[in-house]
Amino acid sequence: PNPVSEFINLEIPINIENANISIINSVGNTIFEAKNINGKYTIDIRDFSVGVYNVNINNNNINFNSTFVIQR
């Protein structure tokens, strides 16, 4: 997983239109959601606790999951 501390910069691929983004913490709670996102998107994570998170990007046809770690 990639360590981050303040912001996550996402670039939604052109083949994923109107994507939904969710961030899930290590106990399975969704702590962030954004809907109908296209292109570049920045998420401010300065208020998130240190730990491991999953980010899910999806639309009706495509689902992408990744993991990141917040370190300070």
Side-chain angles (χ1 to χ4, degrees), residues 42-62:
T42 299
I43 302 170
D44 182 346
I45 58 164
R46 291 178 288 187
D47 291 334
F48 293 11
S49 299
V50 170
V52 178
Y53 294 83
N54 291 315
V55 61
N56 180 289
I57 302 170
N58 67 65
N59 67 6
N60 292 333
N61 301 317
I62 298 171

Side-chain angles (χ1 to χ4, degrees), residues 13-65:
I14 196 164
N15 65 329
I16 302 179
E17 294 180 352
N18 300 318
N20 299 314
I21 300 169
S22 58
I23 296 178
I24 298 102
N25 65 15
S26 60
V27 294
N29 296 327
T30 300
I31 59 167
F32 177 87
E33 288 186 304
K35 299 192 181 293
N36 298 318
I37 305 302
N38 295 298
K40 295 181 181 181
Y41 192 75
T42 299
I43 302 170
D44 182 346
I45 58 164
R46 291 178 288 187
D47 291 334
F48 293 11
S49 299
V50 170
V52 178
Y53 294 83
N54 291 315
V55 61
N56 180 289
I57 302 170
N58 67 65
N59 67 6
N60 292 333
N61 301 317
I62 298 171
N63 190 33
F64 173 80
N65 295 295

